[in-house]
Amino acid sequence: MSRSHTFAQFAEAIDLAFARWDLAHLHMFTLTNKTSIVPLELWDGETPEHSIDSTRTKLSRLGHGEQFAYVFDFGDDWAHLCTVAESRIDPLETFGGLPAEPMPYFGWGDLPDQYGRRWNADDGESSPPQPPSRPLTDLPPLLPWWGPQERSR
């Protein structure tokens, strides 16, 4: 992503990267200061408090290393922790050219990985790590169910 892209364009890139085909769901970015960034025209005047428009808000408002949350489909709550890279990438080096649109270039998760990794540090030989006893507590408290204050479900 470039600093000149909007949060709406970034949402589209995330949804594309996760192969989402039913895009008829709302989405929201939540910044560390609890600002919500949403597509205002889709909320019919009932936007969350302190919301700003994702179609007009540029990624330039984020700083290097800053973390924020992205949630797609409020029924299923597909939540993503996003972190701005510490430094800019060289698109020629990373992609072999200048992409026409925002593109994913790093990540891991439940989607089938092209290299067959099952977790971030999977070397193909080690046993998988034990699942955490209290999942989500290591995430920054950007969303109500994230962070140390998370209650057992």
Side-chain angles (χ1 to χ4, degrees):
M1 301 297 302
S2 165
R3 295 174 52 79
S4 63
H5 286 109
T6 65
F7 277 87
Q9 290 171 305
F10 187 39
E12 186 177 318
I14 292 170
D15 296 337
L16 176 66
F18 280 86
R20 294 188 177 121
W21 54 271
D22 181 2
L23 301 177
H25 298 281
L26 292 173
H27 65 263
M28 176 170 40
F29 291 92
T30 303
L31 306 184
T32 55
N33 66 2
K34 302 302 181 198
T35 297
S36 299
I37 303 175
V38 298
L40 292 179
E41 76 278 0
L42 300 179
W43 284 81
D44 295 329
E46 297 185 27
T47 57
E49 193 174 341
H50 306 295
S51 295
I52 56 178
D53 191 7
S54 65
T55 62
R56 295 180 179 195
T57 306
K58 305 279 186 187
L59 295 175
S60 59
R61 78 176 288 133
L62 299 171
H64 294 290
E66 187 171 344
Q67 291 188 310
F68 55 97
Y70 172 67
V71 176
F72 174 82
D73 185 349
F74 299 145
D76 286 329
D77 284 326
W78 295 103
H80 305 268
L81 173 62
C82 304
T83 305
V84 179
E86 290 294 337
S87 61
R88 299 176 78 168
I89 65 163
D90 179 351
L92 295 175
E93 182 180 307
T94 305
F95 299 112
L98 189 61
E101 58 191 27
M103 296 189 59
Y105 71 94
F106 175 77
W108 62 273
D110 291 336
L111 284 177
D113 183 271
Q114 77 180 54
Y115 302 112
R117 297 176 296 187
R118 297 165 291 159
W119 65 92
N120 190 30
D122 188 359
D123 61 9
E125 297 175 10
S126 302
S127 297
Q130 290 293 320
S133 60
R134 295 198 60 221
L136 308 179
T137 59
D138 62 335
L139 295 175
L142 294 167
L143 299 175
W145 58 93
W146 285 9
Q149 77 279 0
E150 186 242 349
R151 296 185 183 114
S152 299
R153 291 183 181 209

